[in-house]
Amino acid sequence: MTDVQQAPARGLSAEQVRERVAAGQVNDVPRRSSRSVGEIVRANVFTRFNALIGSLFVLVLIFGAWQDGLFGGIIIANSAIGVIQELRAKRTLDKLAVVGETPVKVMRDGVVAELEQQEVVLGDLIMLGTGDKIVVDGAVVGSQGLEIDESLLTGEADPVHKQPGDEVKSGSFVVAGGGSFTADRVGRDAYAAQLVEEASKFSLSHSELMSGINTFLKYVTWLIIPTAILLFVTQLTVSKHHFGEAIVGAVAGVVTMIPEGLVLMTSIAFAVGVVRLGRRQCLVQELPAIEGLARVNVLCVDKTGTLTEPGMDLDQVVVLRDDLPGRQALAALAADDPDPNATMQAVKEGLDVPDPGWKTQSTVPFSSARKWSGAAFSGEGAWVFGAADVLLGPDDPNRHKAEELGSTGLRVLALARVPEAAFADPDALDVTASAEPAALIVLRQRLREEAPATLRYFEEQGVAVKVISGDNPVSVGAIARTLKLPKAEHPVDARTLPDDVEGMADVLEDNSVFGRVSPQQKRAMVKALQSRGHTVAMTGDGVNDVLALKDADLGVSMGSGSGATRAVAQIVLLDNSFATLPSVVGEGRRVLGNIERVANLFLTKTVYSIILAILVGIMHVRFPFLPRHLTLISTLTIGIPAFFLALAPNMERARSGFVPRVLRFAIPAGLACGIATFAGYMIATKNPNSTFEEDSSTATIALFLLALWVLLLIARPWNWWRLGLVAVMGAAFAIVLAVPWLRNFFALHPDNYGNDSAALLIAAAAAVLLTFLLRWDSWLTRLRQLREPAGSGGSAGPGSSGGSGASGSPAGPGGRPDRSGGSDGPAGSGGSGER
């Protein structure tokens, strides 16, 4: 039992607030959504690639023709596009962060006002209610059953009861009761401020995708140094110690090895994803969450706020004993609650009994662990209000009546009188043994109109939905069956779940609806699902969801949820709409699937560049290309197409294995391009009637056509705009060959038709061989997937991405059909792109 106490202070005066603001004693912790403009510019300009390409650019300007330094424009393009896109994402996030930020209730001049977190000053009297996040440190002044969860700071899940004088720290949150405290440490002096500032930055790191790309870059960096030395020595010898020609030849070979646009395209795809989701009132608090969206195959949702509307309506009050003043006690409990939750609010609004004016002696706030609240009234006894199956014994006939009502989808609560001494230790109270049932309170829940269509979408996309609720399992099951959720026929009472991870995972695999789930069980359920190789997303809006949101692969909070849930979630649905989730998941799939396509393009270029450099060194011949040749090829077959492919519709679910899948495509494609091009070049050099300019032009044409074929394979499944993209790139190259001044600018002299014909035949043969090789690999991959046991972590569930976007099959990535078909995806999903 906790005595009701009131904060004695009226809070700061307006003059005191002005003095503290002038002294800089404000809560000036940066918002978690984005980094500064300076950080964005530095991150996009001062990169390893820009430094490397810039050095090569300077060498070409010193020792070669300026036309061979066209690749230097990559520095400007990469930096400008990266900065512009991330600034665009920053503006979107900063606007949404203001909307999505939980206000702080502060007492000033005796009046409670809601302020932004940054407006709190030292000495402010902050008022607390259930679900509020504590944003600064301080000492408790008033407590009405105040219970604080400090698990995000200490790892200890049990709530801590706080009395006046006790310390509260930023980063914790209220799980029960209410009270007030004085802000003693604000801004960067607060306990959690530096941790939050460091952990909450707008980041591209810590993801399988970025880890895979960094792996590629690490190995490429190591290969560049010995390759550059080999090329320089070879070209110096071949050019008869002409230093300038040797430098230009070595630079030409090294520049193409650098997948300079891969990181750029990845950051652009992420940033555009953030902006697109922002337009749908979806706040992405951490960039890696975009990737997590694509990998989700199990979605855990709470009933309230996702399948049903947050509010409820009072349906009826069933009086169980006429000799108990149940309706008056219910009215007194509703009137006494200073911070009513949705349940008590529905009672307060729907009850036709006036407040009897009973005097409150003590209160016990509601907590998700107890599942009841209560109050003792002078001369009227102690009363508890909560879940019917918690307050009523298993043999109580009133409990059976409650279950009958609950089986229709109604929410049923009970009101009972308990001994007045029962609140001395409320956590130890056995309410079923001492309670005198007085009434059943029946609430009608409001189903979300969009819930059935959203559940169907996830079923079609191979995402299993698990309803995990603290409510009666019978009631939750009735709602789930109404919405036609698969496996909803047998709702499970979480109190019967096994404690071990394996046993719990078995039950979770076979069922979809779980009731009477405690906060600790929600967390255990997430871990059990993850133990089976699932990527788990958890939605929630209450403080009882925080631990599970924190442990899930992806935490999704409703915008109207508590400050605690919004603080730990990576995604916040500001419009509180469950129907937003398909577009959220679809955006993640689009980003990740397209980055894999783009990675295939860039890594193919890296592989054929390495092959050409090695063959040139071994055969001791002049490098077949000038830097401007490779700039032209890279721009038309990689740079421009990659930009469009990175932003294209894509609804395939991603899975692990990004690096091996990309290498399975890039290595054979790069080998085919490099070996065939070099073979055509060597044949041309044996012709005594041809010049180096003609031989180089032959190699350029052969490599372009092979690279264009690779682009065509990666662009599948074909549709009008993808085929059009490839056709436009081919036409652009043809224009360069046809227009004399462009031909001279790029030093192309395709005048030896014999050499050109031989090289084209070799290139065509290499293209056919590559296509059959990729088809064979695709067939073996599908065969391997079919042999994997169902439900294994590596299997590709429905809609999963089986590989690269060019695996040799006419289907989508990895040979599986691309549901997007180049469109905007399923009607209403909105997940594939902007119309």
PDB file of all heavy atoms in Angstrom, residues 657-687:
ATOM      1  N   GLY A 657      23.061 -14.208 -46.229  1.00  0.00           N
ATOM      2  CA  GLY A 657      23.901 -14.720 -47.302  1.00  0.00           C
ATOM      3  C   GLY A 657      24.149 -13.714 -48.402  1.00  0.00           C
ATOM      4  O   GLY A 657      24.365 -14.087 -49.555  1.00  0.00           O
ATOM      5  N   PHE A 658      24.133 -12.417 -48.063  1.00  0.00           N
ATOM      6  CA  PHE A 658      24.323 -11.364 -49.057  1.00  0.00           C
ATOM      7  C   PHE A 658      25.660 -11.512 -49.792  1.00  0.00           C
ATOM      8  O   PHE A 658      25.716 -11.494 -51.023  1.00  0.00           O
ATOM      9  CB  PHE A 658      24.229 -10.011 -48.349  1.00  0.00           C
ATOM     10  CG  PHE A 658      24.670  -8.835 -49.172  1.00  0.00           C
ATOM     11  CD1 PHE A 658      23.884  -8.372 -50.215  1.00  0.00           C
ATOM     12  CD2 PHE A 658      25.871  -8.191 -48.914  1.00  0.00           C
ATOM     13  CE1 PHE A 658      24.289  -7.282 -50.974  1.00  0.00           C
ATOM     14  CE2 PHE A 658      26.276  -7.104 -49.665  1.00  0.00           C
ATOM     15  CZ  PHE A 658      25.488  -6.654 -50.696  1.00  0.00           C
ATOM     16  N   VAL A 659      26.737 -11.700 -49.057  1.00  0.00           N
ATOM     17  CA  VAL A 659      28.072 -11.756 -49.665  1.00  0.00           C
ATOM     18  C   VAL A 659      28.211 -12.948 -50.618  1.00  0.00           C
ATOM     19  O   VAL A 659      28.602 -12.770 -51.775  1.00  0.00           O
ATOM     20  CB  VAL A 659      29.171 -11.777 -48.579  1.00  0.00           C
ATOM     21  CG1 VAL A 659      30.535 -12.040 -49.197  1.00  0.00           C
ATOM     22  CG2 VAL A 659      29.183 -10.453 -47.819  1.00  0.00           C
ATOM     23  N   PRO A 660      27.922 -14.186 -50.186  1.00  0.00           N
ATOM     24  CA  PRO A 660      28.095 -15.307 -51.132  1.00  0.00           C
ATOM     25  C   PRO A 660      27.190 -15.209 -52.353  1.00  0.00           C
ATOM     26  O   PRO A 660      27.590 -15.619 -53.449  1.00  0.00           O
ATOM     27  CB  PRO A 660      27.774 -16.547 -50.286  1.00  0.00           C
ATOM     28  CG  PRO A 660      27.075 -16.055 -49.078  1.00  0.00           C
ATOM     29  CD  PRO A 660      27.567 -14.671 -48.849  1.00  0.00           C
ATOM     30  N   ARG A 661      25.961 -14.686 -52.183  1.00  0.00           N
ATOM     31  CA  ARG A 661      25.073 -14.576 -53.343  1.00  0.00           C
ATOM     32  C   ARG A 661      25.635 -13.598 -54.372  1.00  0.00           C
ATOM     33  O   ARG A 661      25.614 -13.867 -55.579  1.00  0.00           O
ATOM     34  CB  ARG A 661      23.670 -14.130 -52.915  1.00  0.00           C
ATOM     35  CG  ARG A 661      22.808 -15.243 -52.392  1.00  0.00           C
ATOM     36  CD  ARG A 661      21.327 -14.846 -52.438  1.00  0.00           C
ATOM     37  NE  ARG A 661      21.062 -13.568 -51.804  1.00  0.00           N
ATOM     38  CZ  ARG A 661      20.890 -13.404 -50.501  1.00  0.00           C
ATOM     39  NH1 ARG A 661      20.969 -14.452 -49.691  1.00  0.00           N
ATOM     40  NH2 ARG A 661      20.632 -12.212 -49.999  1.00  0.00           N
ATOM     41  N   VAL A 662      26.131 -12.461 -53.913  1.00  0.00           N
ATOM     42  CA  VAL A 662      26.695 -11.480 -54.836  1.00  0.00           C
ATOM     43  C   VAL A 662      27.932 -12.043 -55.526  1.00  0.00           C
ATOM     44  O   VAL A 662      28.115 -11.887 -56.735  1.00  0.00           O
ATOM     45  CB  VAL A 662      27.023 -10.168 -54.088  1.00  0.00           C
ATOM     46  CG1 VAL A 662      27.812  -9.220 -54.980  1.00  0.00           C
ATOM     47  CG2 VAL A 662      25.745  -9.485 -53.628  1.00  0.00           C
ATOM     48  N   LEU A 663      28.777 -12.733 -54.756  1.00  0.00           N
ATOM     49  CA  LEU A 663      29.987 -13.294 -55.350  1.00  0.00           C
ATOM     50  C   LEU A 663      29.658 -14.387 -56.362  1.00  0.00           C
ATOM     51  O   LEU A 663      30.377 -14.550 -57.357  1.00  0.00           O
ATOM     52  CB  LEU A 663      30.897 -13.854 -54.250  1.00  0.00           C
ATOM     53  CG  LEU A 663      31.538 -12.813 -53.322  1.00  0.00           C
ATOM     54  CD1 LEU A 663      32.395 -13.494 -52.271  1.00  0.00           C
ATOM     55  CD2 LEU A 663      32.374 -11.808 -54.128  1.00  0.00           C
ATOM     56  N   ARG A 664      28.573 -15.142 -56.121  1.00  0.00           N
ATOM     57  CA  ARG A 664      28.198 -16.195 -57.074  1.00  0.00           C
ATOM     58  C   ARG A 664      27.817 -15.615 -58.422  1.00  0.00           C
ATOM     59  O   ARG A 664      27.910 -16.298 -59.442  1.00  0.00           O
ATOM     60  CB  ARG A 664      27.023 -17.023 -56.530  1.00  0.00           C
ATOM     61  CG  ARG A 664      27.413 -18.106 -55.555  1.00  0.00           C
ATOM     62  CD  ARG A 664      26.398 -19.241 -55.542  1.00  0.00           C
ATOM     63  NE  ARG A 664      25.036 -18.800 -55.449  1.00  0.00           N
ATOM     64  CZ  ARG A 664      24.397 -18.575 -54.296  1.00  0.00           C
ATOM     65  NH1 ARG A 664      25.034 -18.726 -53.163  1.00  0.00           N
ATOM     66  NH2 ARG A 664      23.135 -18.190 -54.294  1.00  0.00           N
ATOM     67  N   PHE A 665      27.376 -14.372 -58.430  1.00  0.00           N
ATOM     68  CA  PHE A 665      27.094 -13.722 -59.702  1.00  0.00           C
ATOM     69  C   PHE A 665      28.298 -12.936 -60.213  1.00  0.00           C
ATOM     70  O   PHE A 665      28.682 -13.047 -61.382  1.00  0.00           O
ATOM     71  CB  PHE A 665      25.895 -12.782 -59.585  1.00  0.00           C
ATOM     72  CG  PHE A 665      25.598 -12.054 -60.868  1.00  0.00           C
ATOM     73  CD1 PHE A 665      24.799 -12.634 -61.831  1.00  0.00           C
ATOM     74  CD2 PHE A 665      26.149 -10.804 -61.133  1.00  0.00           C
ATOM     75  CE1 PHE A 665      24.541 -11.986 -63.033  1.00  0.00           C
ATOM     76  CE2 PHE A 665      25.902 -10.149 -62.318  1.00  0.00           C
ATOM     77  CZ  PHE A 665      25.095 -10.743 -63.269  1.00  0.00           C
ATOM     78  N   ALA A 666      28.900 -12.124 -59.366  1.00  0.00           N
ATOM     79  CA  ALA A 666      29.929 -11.186 -59.815  1.00  0.00           C
ATOM     80  C   ALA A 666      31.180 -11.882 -60.320  1.00  0.00           C
ATOM     81  O   ALA A 666      31.793 -11.425 -61.295  1.00  0.00           O
ATOM     82  CB  ALA A 666      30.283 -10.235 -58.669  1.00  0.00           C
ATOM     83  N   ILE A 667      31.574 -12.989 -59.695  1.00  0.00           N
ATOM     84  CA  ILE A 667      32.817 -13.654 -60.111  1.00  0.00           C
ATOM     85  C   ILE A 667      32.694 -14.242 -61.521  1.00  0.00           C
ATOM     86  O   ILE A 667      33.535 -13.948 -62.386  1.00  0.00           O
ATOM     87  CB  ILE A 667      33.239 -14.706 -59.072  1.00  0.00           C
ATOM     88  CG1 ILE A 667      33.723 -13.998 -57.800  1.00  0.00           C
ATOM     89  CG2 ILE A 667      34.337 -15.612 -59.632  1.00  0.00           C
ATOM     90  CD1 ILE A 667      34.084 -14.927 -56.667  1.00  0.00           C
ATOM     91  N   PRO A 668      31.679 -15.086 -61.814  1.00  0.00           N
ATOM     92  CA  PRO A 668      31.588 -15.579 -63.200  1.00  0.00           C
ATOM     93  C   PRO A 668      31.335 -14.465 -64.222  1.00  0.00           C
ATOM     94  O   PRO A 668      31.878 -14.506 -65.330  1.00  0.00           O
ATOM     95  CB  PRO A 668      30.424 -16.570 -63.158  1.00  0.00           C
ATOM     96  CG  PRO A 668      29.671 -16.261 -61.925  1.00  0.00           C
ATOM     97  CD  PRO A 668      30.653 -15.707 -60.967  1.00  0.00           C
ATOM     98  N   ALA A 669      30.519 -13.471 -63.858  1.00  0.00           N
ATOM     99  CA  ALA A 669      30.259 -12.377 -64.797  1.00  0.00           C
ATOM    100  C   ALA A 669      31.526 -11.574 -65.059  1.00  0.00           C
ATOM    101  O   ALA A 669      31.834 -11.228 -66.213  1.00  0.00           O
ATOM    102  CB  ALA A 669      29.159 -11.473 -64.247  1.00  0.00           C
ATOM    103  N   GLY A 670      32.285 -11.284 -64.007  1.00  0.00           N
ATOM    104  CA  GLY A 670      33.531 -10.547 -64.170  1.00  0.00           C
ATOM    105  C   GLY A 670      34.574 -11.330 -64.951  1.00  0.00           C
ATOM    106  O   GLY A 670      35.299 -10.760 -65.785  1.00  0.00           O
ATOM    107  N   LEU A 671      34.648 -12.627 -64.688  1.00  0.00           N
ATOM    108  CA  LEU A 671      35.585 -13.467 -65.441  1.00  0.00           C
ATOM    109  C   LEU A 671      35.235 -13.479 -66.924  1.00  0.00           C
ATOM    110  O   LEU A 671      36.126 -13.366 -67.791  1.00  0.00           O
ATOM    111  CB  LEU A 671      35.561 -14.893 -64.884  1.00  0.00           C
ATOM    112  CG  LEU A 671      36.292 -15.125 -63.561  1.00  0.00           C
ATOM    113  CD1 LEU A 671      35.972 -16.505 -63.008  1.00  0.00           C
ATOM    114  CD2 LEU A 671      37.803 -14.974 -63.758  1.00  0.00           C
ATOM    115  N   ALA A 672      33.950 -13.632 -67.228  1.00  0.00           N
ATOM    116  CA  ALA A 672      33.523 -13.654 -68.626  1.00  0.00           C
ATOM    117  C   ALA A 672      33.871 -12.341 -69.320  1.00  0.00           C
ATOM    118  O   ALA A 672      34.423 -12.341 -70.439  1.00  0.00           O
ATOM    119  CB  ALA A 672      32.026 -13.920 -68.712  1.00  0.00           C
ATOM    120  N   CYS A 673      33.581 -11.228 -68.670  1.00  0.00           N
ATOM    121  CA  CYS A 673      33.868  -9.921 -69.275  1.00  0.00           C
ATOM    122  C   CYS A 673      35.372  -9.715 -69.452  1.00  0.00           C
ATOM    123  O   CYS A 673      35.834  -9.289 -70.531  1.00  0.00           O
ATOM    124  CB  CYS A 673      33.296  -8.797 -68.414  1.00  0.00           C
ATOM    125  SG  CYS A 673      31.496  -8.724 -68.371  1.00  0.00           S
ATOM    126  N   GLY A 674      36.138  -9.998 -68.419  1.00  0.00           N
ATOM    127  CA  GLY A 674      37.575  -9.741 -68.462  1.00  0.00           C
ATOM    128  C   GLY A 674      38.309 -10.625 -69.451  1.00  0.00           C
ATOM    129  O   GLY A 674      39.102 -10.141 -70.272  1.00  0.00           O
ATOM    130  N   ILE A 675      38.055 -11.934 -69.395  1.00  0.00           N
ATOM    131  CA  ILE A 675      38.786 -12.863 -70.268  1.00  0.00           C
ATOM    132  C   ILE A 675      38.399 -12.661 -71.729  1.00  0.00           C
ATOM    133  O   ILE A 675      39.262 -12.624 -72.618  1.00  0.00           O
ATOM    134  CB  ILE A 675      38.518 -14.313 -69.824  1.00  0.00           C
ATOM    135  CG1 ILE A 675      39.137 -14.550 -68.434  1.00  0.00           C
ATOM    136  CG2 ILE A 675      39.082 -15.307 -70.835  1.00  0.00           C
ATOM    137  CD1 ILE A 675      38.797 -15.900 -67.831  1.00  0.00           C
ATOM    138  N   ALA A 676      37.098 -12.526 -72.004  1.00  0.00           N
ATOM    139  CA  ALA A 676      36.665 -12.357 -73.395  1.00  0.00           C
ATOM    140  C   ALA A 676      37.188 -11.048 -73.977  1.00  0.00           C
ATOM    141  O   ALA A 676      37.641 -11.008 -75.135  1.00  0.00           O
ATOM    142  CB  ALA A 676      35.141 -12.390 -73.462  1.00  0.00           C
ATOM    143  N   THR A 677      37.143  -9.969 -73.193  1.00  0.00           N
ATOM    144  CA  THR A 677      37.640  -8.690 -73.684  1.00  0.00           C
ATOM    145  C   THR A 677      39.133  -8.760 -73.969  1.00  0.00           C
ATOM    146  O   THR A 677      39.609  -8.281 -75.011  1.00  0.00           O
ATOM    147  CB  THR A 677      37.356  -7.577 -72.658  1.00  0.00           C
ATOM    148  OG1 THR A 677      35.948  -7.476 -72.451  1.00  0.00           O
ATOM    149  CG2 THR A 677      37.896  -6.243 -73.126  1.00  0.00           C
ATOM    150  N   PHE A 678      39.864  -9.364 -73.050  1.00  0.00           N
ATOM    151  CA  PHE A 678      41.316  -9.451 -73.239  1.00  0.00           C
ATOM    152  C   PHE A 678      41.660 -10.345 -74.432  1.00  0.00           C
ATOM    153  O   PHE A 678      42.611 -10.052 -75.188  1.00  0.00           O
ATOM    154  CB  PHE A 678      41.981  -9.980 -71.975  1.00  0.00           C
ATOM    155  CG  PHE A 678      43.485  -9.899 -72.002  1.00  0.00           C
ATOM    156  CD1 PHE A 678      44.120  -8.682 -71.769  1.00  0.00           C
ATOM    157  CD2 PHE A 678      44.265 -11.009 -72.284  1.00  0.00           C
ATOM    158  CE1 PHE A 678      45.512  -8.589 -71.817  1.00  0.00           C
ATOM    159  CE2 PHE A 678      45.647 -10.918 -72.318  1.00  0.00           C
ATOM    160  CZ  PHE A 678      46.273  -9.701 -72.081  1.00  0.00           C
ATOM    161  N   ALA A 679      40.886 -11.417 -74.627  1.00  0.00           N
ATOM    162  CA  ALA A 679      41.135 -12.295 -75.778  1.00  0.00           C
ATOM    163  C   ALA A 679      40.933 -11.532 -77.091  1.00  0.00           C
ATOM    164  O   ALA A 679      41.752 -11.639 -78.030  1.00  0.00           O
ATOM    165  CB  ALA A 679      40.205 -13.500 -75.714  1.00  0.00           C
ATOM    166  N   GLY A 680      39.865 -10.756 -77.179  1.00  0.00           N
ATOM    167  CA  GLY A 680      39.637  -9.951 -78.377  1.00  0.00           C
ATOM    168  C   GLY A 680      40.731  -8.922 -78.582  1.00  0.00           C
ATOM    169  O   GLY A 680      41.170  -8.668 -79.730  1.00  0.00           O
ATOM    170  N   TYR A 681      41.194  -8.348 -77.500  1.00  0.00           N
ATOM    171  CA  TYR A 681      42.265  -7.354 -77.586  1.00  0.00           C
ATOM    172  C   TYR A 681      43.564  -7.991 -78.068  1.00  0.00           C
ATOM    173  O   TYR A 681      44.270  -7.418 -78.925  1.00  0.00           O
ATOM    174  CB  TYR A 681      42.447  -6.701 -76.214  1.00  0.00           C
ATOM    175  CG  TYR A 681      43.632  -5.778 -76.119  1.00  0.00           C
ATOM    176  CD1 TYR A 681      43.665  -4.573 -76.832  1.00  0.00           C
ATOM    177  CD2 TYR A 681      44.724  -6.092 -75.316  1.00  0.00           C
ATOM    178  CE1 TYR A 681      44.758  -3.714 -76.739  1.00  0.00           C
ATOM    179  CE2 TYR A 681      45.818  -5.240 -75.216  1.00  0.00           C
ATOM    180  CZ  TYR A 681      45.835  -4.057 -75.927  1.00  0.00           C
ATOM    181  OH  TYR A 681      46.918  -3.219 -75.837  1.00  0.00           O
ATOM    182  N   MET A 682      43.892  -9.165 -77.556  1.00  0.00           N
ATOM    183  CA  MET A 682      45.126  -9.833 -77.958  1.00  0.00           C
ATOM    184  C   MET A 682      45.094 -10.196 -79.445  1.00  0.00           C
ATOM    185  O   MET A 682      46.110 -10.098 -80.149  1.00  0.00           O
ATOM    186  CB  MET A 682      45.341 -11.079 -77.099  1.00  0.00           C
ATOM    187  CG  MET A 682      45.742 -10.781 -75.666  1.00  0.00           C
ATOM    188  SD  MET A 682      47.271  -9.795 -75.540  1.00  0.00           S
ATOM    189  CE  MET A 682      48.467 -10.951 -76.221  1.00  0.00           C
ATOM    190  N   ILE A 683      43.924 -10.661 -79.928  1.00  0.00           N
ATOM    191  CA  ILE A 683      43.805 -10.963 -81.368  1.00  0.00           C
ATOM    192  C   ILE A 683      44.053  -9.700 -82.179  1.00  0.00           C
ATOM    193  O   ILE A 683      44.732  -9.723 -83.220  1.00  0.00           O
ATOM    194  CB  ILE A 683      42.417 -11.563 -81.671  1.00  0.00           C
ATOM    195  CG1 ILE A 683      42.304 -12.964 -81.053  1.00  0.00           C
ATOM    196  CG2 ILE A 683      42.159 -11.621 -83.171  1.00  0.00           C
ATOM    197  CD1 ILE A 683      40.931 -13.571 -81.162  1.00  0.00           C
ATOM    198  N   ALA A 684      43.478  -8.570 -81.701  1.00  0.00           N
ATOM    199  CA  ALA A 684      43.655  -7.313 -82.425  1.00  0.00           C
ATOM    200  C   ALA A 684      45.117  -6.885 -82.450  1.00  0.00           C
ATOM    201  O   ALA A 684      45.610  -6.371 -83.470  1.00  0.00           O
ATOM    202  CB  ALA A 684      42.795  -6.228 -81.788  1.00  0.00           C
ATOM    203  N   THR A 685      45.845  -7.083 -81.343  1.00  0.00           N
ATOM    204  CA  THR A 685      47.254  -6.652 -81.303  1.00  0.00           C
ATOM    205  C   THR A 685      48.131  -7.473 -82.234  1.00  0.00           C
ATOM    206  O   THR A 685      49.225  -7.022 -82.614  1.00  0.00           O
ATOM    207  CB  THR A 685      47.808  -6.760 -79.863  1.00  0.00           C
ATOM    208  OG1 THR A 685      47.708  -8.118 -79.409  1.00  0.00           O
ATOM    209  CG2 THR A 685      47.048  -5.840 -78.922  1.00  0.00           C
ATOM    210  N   LYS A 686      47.693  -8.677 -82.579  1.00  0.00           N
ATOM    211  CA  LYS A 686      48.480  -9.516 -83.498  1.00  0.00           C
ATOM    212  C   LYS A 686      48.343  -9.069 -84.944  1.00  0.00           C
ATOM    213  O   LYS A 686      49.078  -9.547 -85.822  1.00  0.00           O
ATOM    214  CB  LYS A 686      48.037 -10.980 -83.370  1.00  0.00           C
ATOM    215  CG  LYS A 686      48.171 -11.578 -81.973  1.00  0.00           C
ATOM    216  CD  LYS A 686      49.601 -11.481 -81.454  1.00  0.00           C
ATOM    217  CE  LYS A 686      49.718 -12.105 -80.056  1.00  0.00           C
ATOM    218  NZ  LYS A 686      51.082 -11.917 -79.490  1.00  0.00           N
ATOM    219  N   ASN A 687      47.378  -8.212 -85.217  1.00  0.00           N
ATOM    220  CA  ASN A 687      47.182  -7.711 -86.573  1.00  0.00           C
ATOM    221  C   ASN A 687      48.198  -6.598 -86.829  1.00  0.00           C
ATOM    222  O   ASN A 687      48.121  -5.527 -86.221  1.00  0.00           O
ATOM    223  CB  ASN A 687      45.755  -7.178 -86.719  1.00  0.00           C
ATOM    224  CG  ASN A 687      45.431  -6.762 -88.132  1.00  0.00           C
ATOM    225  OD1 ASN A 687      46.308  -6.564 -88.966  1.00  0.00           O
ATOM    226  ND2 ASN A 687      44.133  -6.612 -88.407  1.00  0.00           N
TER     227      ASN A 687
END
